[in-house]
Amino acid sequence: MFEPAITGSGVFTPEQSISNDELVVAFNAYADRWNAEHADAIAAGEAQPMAHSSSEFIVAASGIESRYVLDKSGLLDPEVMHPWLPERPDDAPGVMAEMGVDACRKALDMAGVDAADVDLVICAASNHERAYPAIAIEIQQLLGTGGFAFDMNVACSSATFGIQAAADMVRSGSIKRALVVNPEICSAHLEWRDRDCHFIFGDVATAVLIERVDLAKGAHFAIKSTRCATQFSNNIRNNNGFLRRTREGQMEDRRDMQFMQNGRKVFKEVLPLVSRHIAEHMEEEGVAADDLKRLWLHQANKTMNDYIGKKVLGRAPEEGEQPNILQDYANTSSAGSIIAFAQYSDDMEPGDTGLICSFGAGYSVGSVILQKVAAA
Ligand code: CO8
């Protein structure tokens, strides 16, 4: 058996961002138009008028202040309310592959590893641009990695489940190095016309390079243990899929073809699930709350993270112990905890222990216990 380690991480951040204020102006213009178009139905009591959104609500309910997106022009146009991402010819790189490659190159550079020495790419994300061929195989081709590649989807927990899959293969000796890459184009899947959730998501790509510890060239994070769990729930769902055209009326612009959630229920049900999951994982591995120097949590909601941090540590986390990035990036699904890890891990000392935890649709929860190791 070999020990796996994270030796590099990378984040691709889109150039464009949207502040809450910009977002709310566009949403409210859309709501006003909708209300004017449906004035008769509203007057007859057959339709409810759309209420305005507000920046104050968004920050108070979620902690989100801004989000990065691939295209803001469509999102801020009340007549469009979705991103414009022009179709590319079949022989051009896909959008997800392109952003994934950027994050992977940064992870490889950090670790000082040539792409050709990587023998697995896992593209682990909430949505894939196409069903096949796998985005991971396209990334393999663009980077020039060897071995094999495949896609997987566990929604918000895709990254941690991907890390477990790759780490287990390194442990067994079937591979030496893997890239786990998480390109998330959440803006194309979010319903920007729905006041309850129009502020939640952003776009980004993250990647981690996982290697055998004995191959690491510099300081790294040994993967001490991983733990994944799932429990079926319909509270976060989208009903789009390849069976759509086989069913009457399914080619319409239906709300359930985009991201749907019962946010309140998710909030209530996921919190105990995650707190228990982390507590059991730490106990199993003999990690006490005092041993934990950092928590890199899934980035969906600040109140949720505050609650989990307090439960795990048995006290309110101190400054820097549980860094949030959701104020700048919003929820980026599987990439959120990895952005937090990439941005807030450099300062850790050899011997320090940290824990990555993702949670979301499925429900799914994944945790990864890491220990900082100095360069040999
Ligand atoms: N502006 C002003 N007021 C609003 C707005 C708004 N935009 N939206 C709602 N309100 C009002 C409501 O009408 C309600 O008013 P009233 O009390 O009069 O009825 C009041 O505010 C409270 O509304 P909510 O109960 O909905 O508000 P919450 O406090 O529950 O906050 C949240 C809403 C932020 C959505 C919160 O419930 C939450 O964060 N829940 C957990 C979400 C979560 O973690 N989800 C995980 C999903 S991500 C995932 O798993 C990945 C899926 C795959 C990726 C998909 C990519 C797109």
Side-chain angles (χ1 to χ4, degrees), residues 24 27-28 51-58 60-64 126-127 153-157 184-191 194-202 235-238 258-268 270 298-302 304 331-334 359-364:
V24 165
F27 179 87
N28 291 349
H52 276 185
S53 181
S54 83
S55 298
E56 296 71 35
F57 171 84
I58 296 171
S62 68
I64 296 165
S126 297
N127 279 292
N153 180 353
V154 201
C156 289
S157 291
E184 293 285 8
I185 312 179
C186 300
S187 65
H189 191 60
L190 176 60
E191 182 49 86
D194 183 338
R195 173 175 176 261
D196 286 343
C197 67
H198 75 109
F199 53 89
I200 289 182
F201 288 106
N235 285 326
I236 312 168
R237 184 176 178 113
N238 94 77
Q258 305 299 334
F259 167 83
M260 299 275 292
Q261 79 163 352
N262 186 336
R264 274 272 159 101
K265 276 198 169 166
V266 172
F267 199 104
K268 281 202 187 116
V270 165
H298 176 52
Q299 303 284 316
N301 183 296
K302 183 176 181 305
M304 267 174 135
N331 183 344
T332 50
S333 197
S334 67
F359 43 90
Y363 298 131
S364 56

Side-chain angles (χ1 to χ4, degrees), residues 229-358:
T230 49
Q231 178 185 304
F232 187 67
S233 164
N234 274 325
N235 285 326
I236 312 168
R237 184 176 178 113
N238 94 77
N239 287 330
N240 206 355
F242 80 104
L243 293 182
R244 189 172 174 183
R245 70 164 192 172
T246 67
R247 292 166 184 161
E248 192 83 27
Q250 296 236 351
M251 297 312 281
E252 295 157 16
D253 178 20
R254 271 179 32 183
R255 176 65 190 90
D256 66 330
M257 299 303 171
Q258 305 299 334
F259 167 83
M260 299 275 292
Q261 79 163 352
N262 186 336
R264 274 272 159 101
K265 276 198 169 166
V266 172
F267 199 104
K268 281 202 187 116
E269 292 175 4
V270 165
L271 282 180
L273 198 71
V274 174
S275 310
R276 205 168 49 241
H277 178 97
I278 296 177
E280 285 172 7
H281 192 185
M282 285 168 57
E283 194 183 336
E284 225 171 61
E285 296 303 320
V287 176
D290 286 350
D291 300 334
L292 214 54
K293 289 285 181 300
R294 197 133 314 160
L295 265 174
W296 299 284
L297 294 179
H298 176 52
Q299 303 284 316
N301 183 296
K302 183 176 181 305
T303 313
M304 267 174 135
N305 284 4
D306 291 347
Y307 176 93
I308 294 166
K310 210 168 168 182
K311 270 266 174 212
V312 170
L313 299 175
R315 57 175 170 77
E318 282 168 27
E319 180 81 23
E321 271 185 316
Q322 181 209 292
N324 282 329
I325 53 85
L326 57 79
Q327 64 281 2
D328 304 318
Y329 282 85
N331 183 344
T332 50
S333 197
S334 67
S337 56
I338 306 300
I339 305 173
F341 169 72
Q343 293 191 352
Y344 295 95
S345 51
D346 271 5
D347 60 320
M348 288 177 71
E349 300 290 335
D352 283 355
T353 297
L355 184 143
I356 298 176
C357 184
S358 68

